[in-house]
Amino acid sequence: MVWDSWRAERGPLALVCAAILAANPDNSQPWLFRITERGGQVCIDLFADLRRNLKAIDPYQRNVHIGLGCALENLLLAAGANSYATDITLAPDAADVTHVARIDLAPAGVVAPDLYWAIPQRHMNRAGYDTNRPLGEDMLAEIQALNQDDPDARLFWFTTAGDRRCIGDLIVEATEATIHDTEQAADIVRWSRMSWQDVQQHKDGITLDTSGVTGPTLAVAKMLPTFTPEQSNQAWLKNTRETHVATAATFCILAVRDKSAPVQQLRAGRLLQRVHLWSTAHGLALHVMHQMPDRAGREESLGIEPRFGHALRDLIGNPAWQALSMFRMGYPTVEALRSPRLPVEQVLIS
Ligand SMILES: Cc1cc2nc3c(=O)[nH]c(=O)nc-3n(C[C@H](O)[C@H](O)[C@H](O)COP(=O)(O)O)c2cc1C
């Protein structure tokens, strides 16, 4: 399992092992890597695997690119820890939109910051958070400072009780809208792996272990026959309302200047991963919750009234910024579990 063996590899493969441990949409793992070593020059090319996209949930592949940005961040942290300096080119081939990054490697000294060591500890935490522990202003300021070099990305925080209630209600409403949208609901179910056999076969998707169900309920759920899609949807809605939004210490919208620009999506993904690694290293829990941005994308693709598009715009309150991603944070009440990964050989191409 790459969660345990990720540091056993040497050379550029070690960087790919770190990359595939990143957050990514619905654990679809929409990435492919090509390692080239020629005449002493080492290079890793990162590609989007669009066969593994989320269809109606992500009609413009924004989530795919955010996930690839998350992978890129891990890869670059691992480069430093494995004695490589990097030279990154985003979108290096105008003729191939799936070719999202080229990373040229050169020998250098070892740089292994705390964020690197947090890579295998970082997991999406979908359980309840400690409602007695708010996030201090100093902590939020430190997270804000993680974005020092991307003028096109910005974090908007919603921490007061009033703001949290307002966003929580919108997220619940977006979850209901997703469930009632037959295509979107079906595309979520496609990545649901509720039985042990499914997990072993696919090594991807959302599993019972990572669903946020904990303790005896998890043990009982594992013994039950597989849920129907309707049961899964209702459980998701209930957890969203009663656990996810009810216990969030803060919500955050990750906004960019232009949410349609793949390069900005990639860089936003890097920032999202950095925030999650930092949170992990500081004992905080994080949960990406994309119901609102995903509904906004769906509204765009169907040309229907932009209920959530407008709600996100109003929450940001600044026309210079567009919402791309969203998450909640807080202090964990339970440890989050690992999600499955495809073996590294399956994501390498020649
Ligand atoms: C762009 C993007 C969108 C995501 N949307 C959601 C979401 O709406 N709800 C959710 O529970 N998790 C969401 N996630 C978290 C992924 O499901 C999670 O990263 C993936 O299952 C891998 O698990 P891990 O992060 O614990 O390694 C999202 C992640 C990314 C990068």
Side-chain angles (χ1 to χ4, degrees):
M1 179 83 157
V2 68
W3 289 107
D4 295 314
S5 64
W6 72 292
R7 292 203 68 244
E9 291 297 342
R10 289 285 164 262
L13 192 57
L15 281 50
V16 177
C17 287
I20 66 175
L21 296 181
N24 65 92
D26 273 18
N27 203 22
S28 54
Q29 301 169 55
W31 41 52
L32 292 167
F33 301 82
R34 186 177 65 204
I35 300 174
T36 321
E37 300 189 65
R38 212 175 291 127
Q41 293 290 311
V42 186
C43 162
I44 301 179
D45 289 289
L46 173 58
F47 294 87
D49 184 350
L50 295 182
R51 296 166 303 180
R52 303 181 70 85
N53 78 82
L54 270 57
K55 298 190 176 176
I57 294 291
D58 187 21
Y60 300 108
Q61 276 87 54
R62 290 174 192 157
N63 293 356
V64 166
H65 285 120
I66 298 170
L68 289 163
C70 293
L72 183 58
E73 182 64 17
N74 270 14
L75 189 151
L76 296 173
L77 286 166
N82 284 275
S83 316
Y84 290 112
T86 55
D87 185 10
I88 313 150
T89 315
L90 297 181
D93 183 354
D96 181 359
V97 291
T98 69
H99 192 179
V100 300
R102 177 190 170 95
I103 306 103
D104 288 296
L105 305 174
V110 175
V111 184
D114 290 350
L115 298 194
Y116 168 74
W117 297 107
I119 286 176
Q121 265 90 47
R122 183 213 59 83
H123 306 296
M124 214 49 61
N125 193 324
R126 298 187 178 88
Y129 297 167
D130 188 342
T131 49
N132 294 315
R133 286 188 80 184
L135 258 62
E137 285 296 326
D138 48 343
M139 209 147 216
L140 294 180
E142 280 193 61
I143 298 174
Q144 201 71 13
L146 292 169
N147 183 27
Q148 280 171 348
D149 52 5
D150 187 354
D152 295 328
R154 188 157 147 192
L155 300 166
F156 290 84
W157 298 94
F158 300 88
T159 307
T160 66
D163 279 353
R164 281 184 284 130
R165 203 171 316 111
C166 168
I167 294 204
D169 289 347
L170 283 163
I171 292 176
V172 170
E173 190 189 328
T175 311
E176 284 167 332
T178 307
I179 288 171
H180 290 125
D181 181 322
T182 324
E183 261 184 85
Q184 274 201 317
D187 290 334
I188 287 184
V189 169
R190 267 191 332 122
W191 293 96
S192 166
R193 309 281 182 244
M194 291 298 137
S195 73
W196 185 86
Q197 288 83 352
D198 263 1
V199 177
Q200 299 312 309
Q201 187 189 338
H202 297 283
K203 300 185 172 60
D204 60 17
I206 307 296
T207 66
L208 266 179
D209 274 344
T210 60
S211 65
V213 180
T214 53
T217 320
L218 176 61
V220 171
K222 284 187 173 179
M223 288 187 293
L224 291 172
T226 316
F227 297 104
T228 63
E230 180 54 23
Q231 285 170 323
S232 298
N233 286 339
Q234 288 312 318
W236 180 38
L237 181 59
K238 186 173 185 302
N239 285 343
T240 302
R241 183 185 285 123
E242 294 175 10
T243 305
H244 302 162
V245 307
T247 69
T250 187
F251 290 103
C252 182
I253 296 179
L254 169 45
V256 291
R257 301 276 183 192
D258 178 3
K259 66 181 176 197
S260 310
V263 165
Q264 292 190 27
Q265 295 158 6
L266 286 167
R267 295 210 319 246
R270 286 193 60 189
L271 177 59
L272 176 63
Q273 183 72 8
R274 203 147 64 236
V275 170
H276 200 178
L277 291 170
W278 189 95
S279 308
T280 305
H282 290 79
L284 292 169
L286 186 148
H287 176 193
V288 180
M289 300 185 75
H290 256 228
Q291 290 96 320
M292 287 184 69
D294 291 351
R295 274 312 291 172
R298 179 71 167 154
E299 292 165 350
E300 281 173 55
S301 71
L302 293 178
I304 58 176
E305 194 214 327
R307 162 83 181 123
F308 294 99
H310 282 169
L312 286 166
R313 180 200 62 190
D314 295 345
L315 284 168
I316 290 178
N318 180 341
W321 295 97
Q322 300 180 348
L324 181 67
S325 183
M326 234 171 131
F327 56 88
R328 69 176 173 124
M329 282 178 70
Y331 283 92
T333 55
V334 291
E335 209 177 301
L337 299 176
R338 298 164 166 186
S339 53
R341 287 297 184 273
L342 295 164
V344 68
E345 306 78 48
Q346 278 190 34
V347 297
L348 292 176
I349 52 173
S350 50

mmCIF file of all heavy atoms in Angstrom, residues 12 34-37 41-45 102-105:
data_model
loop_
_atom_site.group_PDB
_atom_site.id
_atom_site.type_symbol
_atom_site.label_atom_id
_atom_site.label_comp_id
_atom_site.label_asym_id
_atom_site.label_seq_id
_atom_site.Cartn_x
_atom_site.Cartn_y
_atom_site.Cartn_z
ATOM 1 N N PRO A 12 12.930 9.659 -9.226
ATOM 2 C CA PRO A 12 11.686 10.339 -9.614
ATOM 3 C C PRO A 12 10.421 9.560 -9.256
ATOM 4 O O PRO A 12 9.370 10.163 -9.018
ATOM 5 C CB PRO A 12 11.807 10.487 -11.140
ATOM 6 C CG PRO A 12 13.065 9.838 -11.547
ATOM 7 C CD PRO A 12 13.867 9.480 -10.357
ATOM 8 N N ARG A 34 4.435 10.611 -16.591
ATOM 9 C CA ARG A 34 5.457 10.051 -17.486
ATOM 10 C C ARG A 34 6.826 10.518 -16.989
ATOM 11 O O ARG A 34 7.060 11.721 -16.867
ATOM 12 C CB ARG A 34 5.225 10.525 -18.924
ATOM 13 C CG ARG A 34 6.178 9.851 -19.920
ATOM 14 C CD ARG A 34 5.869 10.288 -21.333
ATOM 15 N NE ARG A 34 6.124 11.709 -21.524
ATOM 16 C CZ ARG A 34 5.552 12.464 -22.455
ATOM 17 N NH1 ARG A 34 4.674 11.936 -23.288
ATOM 18 N NH2 ARG A 34 5.835 13.754 -22.552
ATOM 19 N N ILE A 35 7.670 9.544 -16.686
ATOM 20 C CA ILE A 35 9.029 9.874 -16.235
ATOM 21 C C ILE A 35 9.973 9.676 -17.415
ATOM 22 O O ILE A 35 9.970 8.612 -18.032
ATOM 23 C CB ILE A 35 9.458 8.964 -15.066
ATOM 24 C CG1 ILE A 35 8.508 9.142 -13.878
ATOM 25 C CG2 ILE A 35 10.897 9.252 -14.650
ATOM 26 C CD1 ILE A 35 8.772 8.177 -12.718
ATOM 27 N N THR A 36 10.760 10.694 -17.718
ATOM 28 C CA THR A 36 11.722 10.583 -18.817
ATOM 29 C C THR A 36 13.115 10.881 -18.270
ATOM 30 O O THR A 36 13.309 11.903 -17.607
ATOM 31 C CB THR A 36 11.408 11.616 -19.927
ATOM 32 O OG1 THR A 36 9.999 11.693 -20.084
ATOM 33 C CG2 THR A 36 12.032 11.223 -21.244
ATOM 34 N N GLU A 37 14.055 10.001 -18.539
ATOM 35 C CA GLU A 37 15.449 10.240 -18.132
ATOM 36 C C GLU A 37 16.299 10.119 -19.377
ATOM 37 O O GLU A 37 16.400 9.044 -19.956
ATOM 38 C CB GLU A 37 15.878 9.208 -17.077
ATOM 39 C CG GLU A 37 15.008 9.264 -15.830
ATOM 40 C CD GLU A 37 15.553 8.408 -14.680
ATOM 41 O OE1 GLU A 37 16.639 8.720 -14.159
ATOM 42 O OE2 GLU A 37 14.870 7.432 -14.347
ATOM 43 N N GLN A 41 19.246 14.247 -17.950
ATOM 44 C CA GLN A 41 18.107 15.147 -17.702
ATOM 45 C C GLN A 41 16.908 14.322 -17.268
ATOM 46 O O GLN A 41 16.534 13.367 -17.946
ATOM 47 C CB GLN A 41 17.727 15.889 -19.001
ATOM 48 C CG GLN A 41 18.770 16.867 -19.489
ATOM 49 C CD GLN A 41 18.867 18.070 -18.571
ATOM 50 O OE1 GLN A 41 17.854 18.661 -18.229
ATOM 51 N NE2 GLN A 41 20.073 18.422 -18.164
ATOM 52 N N VAL A 42 16.330 14.660 -16.121
ATOM 53 C CA VAL A 42 15.156 13.925 -15.638
ATOM 54 C C VAL A 42 13.950 14.862 -15.662
ATOM 55 O O VAL A 42 14.049 16.034 -15.263
ATOM 56 C CB VAL A 42 15.363 13.412 -14.193
ATOM 57 C CG1 VAL A 42 14.186 12.532 -13.770
ATOM 58 C CG2 VAL A 42 16.672 12.635 -14.080
ATOM 59 N N CYS A 43 12.839 14.312 -16.141
ATOM 60 C CA CYS A 43 11.645 15.139 -16.261
ATOM 61 C C CYS A 43 10.407 14.297 -15.929
ATOM 62 O O CYS A 43 10.359 13.105 -16.250
ATOM 63 C CB CYS A 43 11.616 15.643 -17.701
ATOM 64 S SG CYS A 43 10.049 16.235 -18.229
ATOM 65 N N ILE A 44 9.440 14.908 -15.240
ATOM 66 C CA ILE A 44 8.157 14.228 -15.011
ATOM 67 C C ILE A 44 7.067 15.057 -15.695
ATOM 68 O O ILE A 44 6.980 16.276 -15.482
ATOM 69 C CB ILE A 44 7.831 14.105 -13.506
ATOM 70 C CG1 ILE A 44 8.926 13.311 -12.779
ATOM 71 C CG2 ILE A 44 6.472 13.418 -13.306
ATOM 72 C CD1 ILE A 44 8.701 13.159 -11.275
ATOM 73 N N ASP A 45 6.288 14.377 -16.534
ATOM 74 C CA ASP A 45 5.139 15.042 -17.159
ATOM 75 C C ASP A 45 3.880 14.557 -16.469
ATOM 76 O O ASP A 45 3.716 13.362 -16.219
ATOM 77 C CB ASP A 45 5.083 14.719 -18.656
ATOM 78 C CG ASP A 45 6.195 15.410 -19.410
ATOM 79 O OD1 ASP A 45 6.117 16.641 -19.555
ATOM 80 O OD2 ASP A 45 7.167 14.728 -19.803
ATOM 81 N N ARG A 102 4.837 20.091 -16.731
ATOM 82 C CA ARG A 102 6.119 19.438 -16.976
ATOM 83 C C ARG A 102 7.033 19.900 -15.853
ATOM 84 O O ARG A 102 7.136 21.105 -15.573
ATOM 85 C CB ARG A 102 6.653 19.878 -18.338
ATOM 86 C CG ARG A 102 8.014 19.329 -18.667
ATOM 87 C CD ARG A 102 8.564 20.012 -19.933
ATOM 88 N NE ARG A 102 9.955 19.626 -20.081
ATOM 89 C CZ ARG A 102 10.361 18.621 -20.828
ATOM 90 N NH1 ARG A 102 9.497 17.940 -21.539
ATOM 91 N NH2 ARG A 102 11.638 18.295 -20.871
ATOM 92 N N ILE A 103 7.670 18.941 -15.193
ATOM 93 C CA ILE A 103 8.537 19.278 -14.068
ATOM 94 C C ILE A 103 9.932 18.777 -14.392
ATOM 95 O O ILE A 103 10.180 17.560 -14.441
ATOM 96 C CB ILE A 103 8.033 18.645 -12.746
ATOM 97 C CG1 ILE A 103 6.573 19.038 -12.496
ATOM 98 C CG2 ILE A 103 8.902 19.075 -11.558
ATOM 99 C CD1 ILE A 103 5.576 17.973 -12.790
ATOM 100 N N ASP A 104 10.841 19.693 -14.664
ATOM 101 C CA ASP A 104 12.239 19.317 -14.912
ATOM 102 C C ASP A 104 12.971 19.262 -13.585
ATOM 103 O O ASP A 104 12.828 20.161 -12.750
ATOM 104 C CB ASP A 104 12.891 20.340 -15.855
ATOM 105 C CG ASP A 104 12.353 20.191 -17.275
ATOM 106 O OD1 ASP A 104 12.573 19.126 -17.883
ATOM 107 O OD2 ASP A 104 11.661 21.132 -17.747
ATOM 108 N N LEU A 105 13.739 18.193 -13.405
ATOM 109 C CA LEU A 105 14.422 17.976 -12.129
ATOM 110 C C LEU A 105 15.926 18.132 -12.295
ATOM 111 O O LEU A 105 16.497 17.723 -13.309
ATOM 112 C CB LEU A 105 14.128 16.559 -11.614
ATOM 113 C CG LEU A 105 12.643 16.176 -11.467
ATOM 114 C CD1 LEU A 105 12.504 14.710 -11.092
ATOM 115 C CD2 LEU A 105 11.966 17.052 -10.418
#
